[in-house]
Amino acid sequence: MKFPALAVALALAAAAPSSSFVPAVGQAYQRFAIERQHADAASPCGSLVGPLFSSKASKRAGKSQGKLSPTHRPRKGKGFGHPTSQSFRRDPVSRKLTADVVVKTEHDGVTDEVDHMMREHLEHSEPQHFFRSPKIQIPTGFVPGHNQVHRGAEHHVDDGHNGLQHHNPVAKMLSHIVPVGGRPRLVSQTPEWRRLQRHADTIKSTHLRDLLKDQERCDAMFAEHDGAYLDYARQCATLETMDLLEELAERQDLKGKIDAMVSGEKINFTEDRSVLHTALRETKDKIGTVFVDDLDAVKEVHEVLDQVKYFTNAVRSGEIRGYTGKRLRNIVSVGIGGSYLGPEFLHEVLKTEPEGINSALGYSLRFLSNVDPVDVERTCADLDPEETLIVIVSKTFTTAETMLNARTMRQWLWDFMGDDAEVVRKHVVACASVSATEKVKEFGIDTENCFFRFWDWVGGRYSMCSAAGAVPISLLYGYDLFQKFLDGAHSIDEHFLNAPFKKNIPVIMGLLGVWNMSFMGYNTRTTLPYAEALLKLPAHIQQLDMESNGKSVTRAGLEVDYPVGEVDFGEPGTNGQHSFFQLLHMGQTVPCDFIGFVQSQHDLCLDGEALSSHDELMANFFAQPDALAKGKTAEEVRAEGAKEDLVPHKTFKGNRPSVSLLLPKLTAYATGQLLAIYEHRTAVQGFIWDINSFDQWGVELGKKLAIDIKDHLHEARSDPDEKPVETGSPATSRILNYYVDNSRHASCDLLQDTNPLTSVTRKSHRDFFPPDENNLQGRGGRL
């Protein structure tokens, strides 16, 4: 297109299908005109239209023509985070116009197409030749005015002076350029995405071994906040890569989406819910700043935290006791998914943290998550029911596995202390959504004192900082230690919200996740904490990432045509090195997250050893990323004297990306930081991919089919004729009948006939059998 600036102006003037768009077009044009006048006045070269086109006539006019824009800085591939950044910059006029148009992208398909046309031209123009160009007088009929009216395909303009109406002859001509009404677009169709695709082709032909020789690049590729230090120099990326990723983030309005999330907008639109896990660790001075449906979210959070603090301190001090008057020293947390993985991950950290060790003396915490009855047996082994407090964690109080286990634990308590309703009120508490209050009450729980609410705007996998984590952790370790965990998470929240993208740890990790998955083609990722106390972190991240970003359609319902949602796995180092590192070094390429600590929770220094045990561990932490990145060439293998036929087997290709995350020491505070970093990384990737990271409809179908199967099983168990089960699926019917035919003895009725005890209780604590019903003088009666 010879005159794209004219085309853009004409498109803006003529393409809108309704009067609602006209004022916006007029305002955009007026802003453009004002900015151009300011640029003309300030420019030593005179009038500038901007780098939208160059004029051959102006080049021939003389030396004063054809000068580079005063704002021009040529790209040299080192713009992201480097103090001498020379990234390509568009001049202020085009930058302002582009921003004005982009603001309306989500609401107006027409402006989206104009923006796309402008960006495509900028992408293919020569950045080294931003020449001064002559002004173009746009006919009055093409310029959006003050009082414009659309009637069908005609565009009438009232100029405010003579009242004459001008027919716009280009409206129909341009209608095929800017579609009437517009339509949603995939991010893969944007110029920013296409630039990254072309850039990826270049990067794939570049080896990390060579990139690591670039001192300027390596010195720039890090970020630091509050003791957390991220080194991403071993990514298959350059500073130009990071520039392009940041441009994509701007195109996707990453900052706007982050702000919408933390302010309480209902970005989880499929469930009509806000996403406010950040409010769970917000400070009290922010009460009155975040509202959801007229509810002060931060105030609600602190009311529950105060309740948790009072209750857990009362239990630990002995003020609150069990049904028989014994102190409650054993905690069993019943939950699954996010209700279990997050709290267990933190529990494993605090188990060996010095303050945690002292705080937990005399208490125990166990988790019951699996509906497998063996998990019940393992959990209840050697526990005294009279000293046990059950914490049921279920947002809706309807999760099938959790509620079956909850009823099982209630039966376990009744078996040993009688089936008095007061047993439940003294030994069972609930963490659930306020919408589940009636279900909590029906279960028999004291909703006045033993119900710790959280809200529909807290997703299960993001609920670690809610009552779901606060109650079990505070019961074992005390509330003050849990508060330190919240403080660490809040520190990263503030960094995430306020740090520029170039130095923003979660944003950088999220952008690199998009880069590796969608552009480099690496569809798996591993988390490698070099700290045994983080052994449950990979499982938590696995759920956090895969349940959030395991999607196939965009927010607009379009099927994605680009890879999203990595397969996450992991294991603590150095155990993982002797498990799956063979694949990492010589099999498929898997980006790695190495997590290490400057100080150990408990270091060892043995006589005769030159290094401490922690130094030994950290030597591996530093060596493995280099080994993955650099590899080992055939020449290096030969230089070691290897036989020629063994050279291919001992050669490492390298070029395998990783990041290294280093923190001072594994404490409650640092664990909060880690949690928030990975929560925000997940959100960033979802925002860039334009998917909803906060629903999980994929788990619902399996739940529904399980209910159907349970109905078939009940029918089969109760059928005296033992007729074959018919499910409607031959394959399912065949394997289900095999199961039923070989497990006829598993009927609950048969078990109760042969065992007077419930299936929960074989022998009691310290080998006494359960008391007779109600012999503990309770109020009597099952619920």
Side-chain angles (χ1 to χ4, degrees), residues 270-282:
T270 64
E271 298 177 295
D272 192 31
R273 292 174 179 174
S274 301
V275 178
L276 277 175
H277 46 280
T278 51
L280 299 173
R281 52 257 190 166
E282 189 55 271

Side-chain angles (χ1 to χ4, degrees), residues 523-527 537-547 549 565-571 590-591 593 678 681-682 685 689:
N523 59 9
T524 55
R525 178 172 56 192
T526 184
T527 305
L537 175 63
H540 177 64
I541 292 175
Q542 187 176 30
Q543 190 216 9
L544 177 66
D545 269 346
M546 295 172 68
E547 192 168 83
N549 291 336
E566 305 90 337
V567 175
D568 280 281
F569 69 100
E571 181 76 14
V590 180
D593 285 9
Y678 281 97
R681 180 189 73 172
T682 297
Q685 292 189 221
W689 283 327

Side-chain angles (χ1 to χ4, degrees), residues 222-234 492 495 504-506 508-509 527-531 534 537 541 592-598 618 621-622 625 658-665 670-671 673-678 681:
F222 79 96
E224 184 178 9
H225 170 74
D226 195 14
Y229 186 98
L230 175 71
D231 179 357
Y232 57 100
R234 291 168 189 80
I492 294 298
H495 169 67
N504 193 311
I505 292 174
I508 292 170
M509 293 177 68
T527 305
L528 305 167
Y530 275 66
L534 286 174
L537 175 63
I541 292 175
C592 303
D593 285 9
F594 289 89
I595 302 171
F597 298 88
V598 175
M618 293 303 291
F621 169 84
F622 293 115
S658 67
V659 298
S660 297
L661 190 58
L662 192 61
L663 293 95
K665 187 176 182 178
T671 309
Q673 290 180 300
L674 278 174
L675 176 83
I677 285 172
Y678 281 97
R681 180 189 73 172

